[in-house]
Amino acid sequence: MLEEKISSSSFLVDVAVPVPIVGTNVLTYRVSEVFSSKLVPGVRVIVPVGRRKITGIFIRRSETENFTSPEKIKEILDILDETPVFPRDLTDLWQWAARYYLTSPGEMLGAMLPGWMLTESKIMVRVKRPTKSPVRKKKPKTNQEREDDNPHDTLGIGIPPPTIPMLTATEQAVWDYLQNQQRVSTKTLRRQFPTISLFSALKTLEEHQLIELSDGISKQQRNHISIFHEREDFAQKIPVSSVNLSAAQTQAYAKIAEVLRSEKFRVFLLHGVTGSGKTEVYLRLVQTAITQRKRVLLLVPEIALTHQLVERATERFGQRVVVLHSAQTVNERWQVWRHITSGQIDIVIGVRSAVFAPIENLGLIVVDEEHDSAYKQEDTPRYHARDLAIVRGKLASCPVVLGSATPSLESYAHCQTRRYSLLELSERVEARSLPSVEIVDLRQWKHKSDDSDRIFSPVLRQALLDNYHAGKQSLLFLNRRGYASYLQCKSCGEVLSCNQCSVTLTFHLQGRVVRCHYCGFSRPAPDHCPHCHELDLEGSGVGTEQIEEALVRLLPNARVARLDRDSVRKKGMLGKVIESWRTHETDVLIGTQMVTKGHDVPGVTLVGVLLADVALNLPDFRAAERTFQLLTQVAGRAGRGEDPGRVIIQTYSPQHYSIRCAVQHDFLRFATLELRYRKKLGYPPFARMVNVRFEGVDGERVRTAAEQFVVRLSAFKTSTNSKGPTILGPAPAPIERIKGRERWQVLIKGEDRPLLHELVAKVQEEAPGRGGSSQLRIVVDVDPYNML
Ligand code: ADP
Ligand code: ZN
């Protein structure tokens, strides 16, 4: 009897929720038939999950019919949107990504949506007529009566309600409560009325024009939206670019534009040396896409450091551009998200997570600086935005352009097998030459007469002096922040290290503290050795702070600035440092890899690399690739204006091929050598990898878990009866302890990607307490980048 009634008045739906649930994409809920027209795929709904109420995405009507106990299926509590916020192609991307990255669909969804969509909705309720009791209480209606009501009978059309509306007891209670509040969020309301169907009560009150519902978008933002040009005339209003593309630019543009026009999927690797005009090619393509009435997604590794691209795009395409970046608050990101779904945006520029922007009708995807490791998310789910951009392009059937002066070997290898098309811009625009690069061999040079001598070789010192006196700008690069990497007692040999992590503490002059770069722990720097109490602590491993100090001594009158994570911790500092660098209010800029990224500052004629070996000596198979990329990119900052550039690289490994190739600006030679080496050792791109890391306070338990994982993995591997992947480990991670947790890892590597992933997925499913517990965390990293 009960079942009959349920099936006649309600139906079942699949809802995606951002909580990790094993083995399923969606949860099933019940929803009353009256809402069927409101439920469009992609709108947000509020559903109960356990004891919590969570925002989810309505995916579709449920296909499953045979539930063992359908009466236990819970009801949807709220429908938050009238139009979808999660378009169809995102649904496919979402499911693909969850499968590929071996993560639960819920976790993947959580990464895709702007933060606060995950928790309660923040819909605001405002009372429209705050007069006391305009509503007369009537006999409460039954549900059936309410469904029979036609709102137009009581409301009339377009005019205020002539009669006092009839409310149910529930609606009346909510209305009574609201009259004492001017503005209240649905979150508060739900706390007040935990058991009722709040959404339908509010809908009735809204229909009676007693209240107003708003989604937290400010008035200002709305005005901003409304002044946008109509899409129709926008394509004609784009100012024609004044630059004439070079022959190489034209050729690259034409190849991509052809695919764009025919709405096909194809990946292009645009390999262009620094300053070769890649950005100009992107912007032309954007223009073509818009003329085709298509939308564009432009991914960049970091907004603040690629500010010029945003500026140039906004200059040209005005208000049809929005930017998504990590410095935005969750609320701001949500506003941008809504803005995109409103259909008034044609170009979305954003960092990693923007690969999930809700853009429909995509015609072009550009991934600038595609080699940058910032595209890899280092938190669960550990997706790679460049790789997902390619999947998205395939789903949307549009070209994907990967641009870089130093392509990743993964992308380059795909060009060799012709899966991607390689396009080259091998010269700088307007026949500007690439800077000349010299190497200083630190092994042959050992004066230690004064402090600054230990940092600047005579060649670099002279070059800095000359460049400053010529009124030019110099850039100094060292990939190590702080003052000294560690403090060591010269009496007993003790090195200060973190109690929670197996790393040394870095000495920071700013605040005179020692700080752990892994867990953030810091304390005042001690004068005496904590071990033998001698006053004999000495810093080793020069960091950016020490360079700055030495430079001030060398050039006391120069305007010096430092760009690293410490110097720009204060909000707004990053913008300031970059702005004064661009406007030549800074003569010398010192920094970590933050200075290697895309600034186009014409006054820079000298680049100094203080120690090229820093990235080279990390225990990572990509160490040589990273070194080549960093050196080439930083060298590319020099000589972008009229005057030629000069680059001086100090190193202890002048013979290393990554350094030699960077000196000669020879990507092809580097790629050939490096690929040969990767092939020999069976590393990506010739194999795929999954790193499974086990973390926990109890080291013994962590090791056992890792060992058991390997046992199960080996068993499965044998049962698949194939060549199968190689299992490396279990072994302690290179950094054995972080934040008091011991870390072990198992690295699995193989040529057959689907088999590799299937194997790990199987073992994962079998594992008790998948994902781990508070005592044991299991991190699965597909295509890992950081394996420390
Ligand atoms: P990349 O992205 O390859 O480093 P950009 O696109 O930023 O290079 O171009 C470098 C500089 O050259 C920019 O100032 C840009 O405006 C200018 N530029 C690009 N293409 C041309 C061109 N065809 N003619 C003249 N200047 C150009
Ligand atoms: Zn620490």
Side-chain angles (χ1 to χ4, degrees):
M1 192 53 212
L2 180 68
E3 273 173 40
E4 234 178 66
K5 205 175 145 201
I6 286 166
S7 59
S8 67
S9 62
S10 67
F11 59 99
L12 299 181
V13 294
D14 291 339
V15 174
V17 285
V19 280
I21 303 163
V22 185
T24 175
N25 290 341
V26 288
L27 295 180
T28 303
Y29 289 92
R30 178 180 307 293
V31 62
S32 161
E33 197 67 56
V34 284
F35 294 124
S36 66
S37 64
K38 293 215 185 314
L39 266 182
V40 199
V43 296
R44 289 171 306 152
V45 291
I46 292 199
V47 290
V49 177
R51 288 161 148 217
R52 290 193 297 161
K53 297 187 184 85
I54 287 185
T55 307
I57 304 287
F58 166 63
I59 299 294
R60 60 184 163 237
R61 277 202 180 219
S62 185
E63 280 158 16
T64 338
E65 294 288 332
N66 331 324
F67 285 93
T68 40
S69 41
E71 72 283 355
K72 282 203 184 133
I73 294 174
K74 291 183 189 156
E75 222 172 308
I76 283 186
L77 301 174
D78 238 351
I79 301 171
L80 299 183
D81 305 301
E82 305 208 327
T83 49
V85 298
F86 197 78
R88 177 90 245 144
D89 22 340
L90 278 192
T91 310
D92 298 334
L93 184 68
W94 162 54
Q95 285 170 359
W96 190 94
R99 233 176 300 126
Y100 183 87
Y101 289 105
L102 302 171
T103 177
S104 75
E107 244 166 353
M108 189 47 83
L109 186 67
M112 294 173 77
L113 304 171
W116 65 255
M117 294 177 80
L118 314 184
T119 56
E120 292 268 357
S121 73
K122 274 232 187 93
I123 295 220
M124 295 307 293
V125 183
R126 198 175 63 83
V127 174
K128 265 182 137 176
R129 294 187 305 183
T131 44
K132 277 280 172 197
S133 78
V135 181
R136 195 176 64 236
K137 269 183 197 166
K138 277 272 171 107
K139 175 175 77 66
K141 282 189 275 187
T142 66
N143 266 346
Q144 197 50 51
E145 277 173 336
R146 287 206 49 224
E147 274 164 31
D148 293 343
D149 277 352
N150 178 346
H152 296 301
D153 287 348
T154 48
L155 270 181
I157 297 189
I159 47 165
T163 54
I164 295 161
M166 288 171 38
L167 302 178
T168 63
T170 313
E171 289 156 4
Q172 185 64 48
V174 174
W175 173 238
D176 285 345
Y177 175 80
L178 280 174
Q179 283 179 85
N180 296 320
Q181 322 280 324
Q182 282 307 301
R183 229 171 97 86
V184 63
S185 69
T186 46
K187 187 173 173 177
T188 313
L189 272 177
R190 202 167 288 109
R191 225 178 290 132
Q192 198 68 27
F193 301 98
T195 55
I196 67 166
S197 177
L198 187 62
F199 176 63
S200 59
L202 290 178
K203 267 286 174 228
T204 312
L205 294 178
E206 193 193 23
E207 275 164 16
H208 291 328
Q209 303 192 14
L210 295 169
I211 58 165
E212 221 171 47
L213 301 176
S214 67
D215 51 9
I217 296 185
S218 68
K219 260 227 178 75
Q220 201 184 359
Q221 182 80 9
R222 275 189 201 289
N223 291 341
H224 190 59
I225 294 171
S226 62
I227 58 164
F228 279 112
H229 303 297
E230 281 301 308
R231 199 175 152 73
E232 284 305 307
D233 38 80
F234 172 58
Q236 281 128 46
K237 279 190 183 156
I238 305 171
V240 181
S241 168
S242 55
V243 276
N244 291 321
L245 293 187
S246 68
Q249 282 173 317
T250 309
Q251 202 181 24
Y253 163 80
K255 289 238 166 80
I256 303 165
E258 188 192 323
V259 175
L260 198 165
R261 289 200 190 92
S262 59
E263 304 187 9
K264 291 214 179 82
F265 165 66
R266 178 93 209 144
V267 184
F268 295 93
L269 177 61
L270 181 59
H271 171 222
V273 297
T274 52
S276 60
K278 294 182 288 294
T279 311
E280 200 54 45
V281 174
Y282 306 153
L283 295 178
R284 279 312 155 93
L285 289 166
V286 171
Q287 188 161 348
T288 306
I290 288 168
T291 320
Q292 301 284 112
R293 307 239 177 283
K294 290 283 189 178
R295 301 210 165 95
V296 180
L297 172 63
L298 224 162
L299 294 180
V300 294
E302 202 165 348
I303 289 288
L305 300 173
T306 43
H307 190 64
Q308 279 159 308
L309 174 58
V310 178
E311 235 167 47
R312 277 158 74 180
T314 326
E315 213 172 79
R316 211 169 295 180
F317 306 109
Q319 291 171 312
R320 311 281 313 189
V321 181
V322 286
V323 179
L324 271 166
H325 58 86
S326 47
Q328 280 162 335
T329 64
V330 169
N331 199 17
E332 284 165 339
R333 291 214 324 257
W334 172 234
Q335 287 183 14
V336 175
W337 186 279
R338 284 307 330 221
H339 201 148
I340 298 167
T341 56
S342 75
Q344 285 165 314
I345 290 303
D346 291 306
I347 302 143
V348 176
I349 303 180
V351 295
R352 187 169 67 222
S353 61
V355 73
F356 302 121
I359 316 166
E360 285 181 289
N361 197 19
L362 258 183
L364 171 71
I365 301 176
V366 175
V367 184
D368 191 27
E369 309 291 354
E370 65 90 27
H371 65 277
D372 200 304
S373 57
Y375 286 121
K376 170 81 174 172
Q377 163 126 325
E378 291 296 354
D379 268 322
T380 313
R382 295 166 183 254
Y383 65 88
H384 198 298
R386 175 200 59 214
D387 297 347
L388 284 183
I390 290 164
V391 177
R392 192 157 186 195
K394 194 167 185 178
L395 292 170
S397 192
C398 74
V400 180
V401 180
L402 311 179
S404 177
T406 52
S408 66
L409 290 175
E410 282 83 355
S411 299
Y412 182 67
H414 281 317
C415 293
Q416 292 193 315
T417 58
R418 309 207 171 242
R419 275 189 60 199
Y420 297 177
S421 310
L422 181 65
L423 301 170
E424 304 247 23
L425 304 177
S426 44
E427 270 160 29
R428 282 189 161 180
V429 294
E430 302 194 313
R432 275 170 213 153
S433 54
L434 285 164
S436 69
V437 187
E438 306 148 50
I439 285 198
V440 173
D441 185 347
L442 291 178
R443 294 170 307 180
Q444 293 175 5
W445 161 78
K446 282 172 184 158
H447 312 279
K448 285 193 176 175
S449 50
D450 89 50
D451 260 359
S452 70
D453 269 9
R454 291 169 50 197
I455 291 170
F456 306 119
S457 58
V459 182
L460 180 56
R461 189 164 353 124
Q462 195 55 49
L464 280 166
L465 286 166
D466 293 347
N467 208 47
Y468 172 66
H469 292 306
K472 303 287 180 191
Q473 287 172 284
S474 308
L475 185 67
L476 291 176
F477 165 62
L478 175 66
N479 216 4
R480 205 149 60 183
R481 63 199 171 91
Y483 189 87
S485 312
Y486 59 93
L487 295 179
Q488 184 167 35
C489 175
K490 292 293 161 196
S491 292
C492 75
E494 175 88 355
V495 173
L496 257 60
S497 54
C498 179
N499 286 333
Q500 296 290 306
C501 314
S502 54
V503 294
T504 59
L505 294 169
T506 302
F507 173 60
H508 288 256
L509 196 61
Q510 203 175 348
R512 289 200 71 84
V513 292
V514 285
R515 183 175 298 141
C516 171
H517 285 185
Y518 283 85
C519 72
F521 164 83
S522 79
R523 65 177 158 106
D527 295 324
H528 299 265
C529 170
H531 189 66
C532 72
H533 308 289
E534 284 296 319
L535 221 154
D536 217 2
L537 287 173
E538 196 179 279
S540 290
V542 173
T544 45
E545 277 186 341
Q546 206 170 145
I547 308 290
E548 185 179 15
E549 193 188 66
L551 193 75
V552 170
R553 249 179 286 138
L554 182 68
L555 298 169
N557 297 320
R559 296 162 300 178
V560 172
R562 182 159 57 86
L563 181 60
D564 56 31
R565 267 198 282 153
D566 301 312
S567 75
V568 297
R569 200 159 281 173
K570 260 209 340 246
K571 200 175 154 84
M573 265 316 270
L574 179 55
K576 263 192 209 147
V577 172
I578 291 177
E579 195 47 35
S580 61
W581 178 236
R582 284 175 61 183
T583 53
H584 199 157
E585 275 153 47
T586 298
D587 298 312
V588 189
L589 182 67
I590 301 152
T592 53
Q593 58 182 333
M594 291 173 94
V595 303
T596 65
K597 308 210 174 173
H599 322 278
D600 187 10
V601 181
V604 184
T605 46
L606 175 66
V607 166
V609 177
L610 290 142
L611 184 60
D613 316 46
V614 176
L616 200 55
N617 296 330
L618 291 175
D620 181 340
F621 75 89
R622 285 195 182 87
E625 184 180 2
R626 286 214 178 114
T627 302
F628 176 79
Q629 287 167 350
L630 281 171
L631 295 180
T632 309
Q633 294 285 348
V634 75
R637 303 303 120 213
R640 294 172 75 100
E642 313 266 291
D643 299 310
R646 179 179 180 195
V647 181
I648 297 169
I649 297 178
Q650 305 188 149
T651 176
Y652 288 104
S653 332
Q655 293 307 318
H656 195 281
Y657 64 101
S658 67
I659 294 174
R660 294 189 68 87
C661 290
V663 168
Q664 282 145 18
H665 310 285
D666 195 346
F667 170 76
L668 288 188
R669 181 165 165 73
F670 172 74
T672 309
L673 291 171
E674 180 68 9
L675 283 175
R676 201 180 294 160
Y677 158 80
R678 299 268 182 101
K679 187 164 195 164
K680 206 162 99 193
L681 297 179
Y683 278 124
F686 299 101
R688 298 302 197 91
M689 302 203 302
V690 177
N691 191 22
V692 183
R693 205 170 51 235
F694 300 79
E695 302 175 355
V697 182
D698 181 348
E700 210 36 45
R701 226 181 125 172
V702 174
R703 202 195 68 207
T704 312
E707 281 167 359
Q708 284 168 353
F709 183 83
V710 168
V711 169
R712 286 196 304 275
L713 201 61
S714 311
F716 269 119
K717 189 183 143 181
T718 325
S719 71
T720 58
N721 233 353
S722 70
K723 227 177 78 199
T726 318
I727 303 164
L728 303 169
I735 297 176
E736 293 180 25
R737 187 161 33 93
I738 291 184
K739 292 187 196 176
R741 289 164 166 270
E742 304 294 325
R743 308 160 86 239
W744 279 70
Q745 64 188 26
V746 179
L747 192 62
I748 310 132
K749 164 170 112 148
E751 283 170 33
D752 186 341
R753 206 278 303 161
L755 179 69
L756 175 68
H757 284 202
E758 194 193 324
L759 212 65
V760 178
K762 262 195 190 143
V763 178
Q764 228 182 338
E765 268 165 38
E766 293 260 306
R770 178 185 177 215
S773 61
S774 56
Q775 278 103 38
L776 181 71
R777 220 173 76 164
I778 304 171
V779 178
V780 177
D781 194 353
V782 173
D783 305 333
Y785 268 68
N786 178 359
M787 282 173 295
L788 298 180

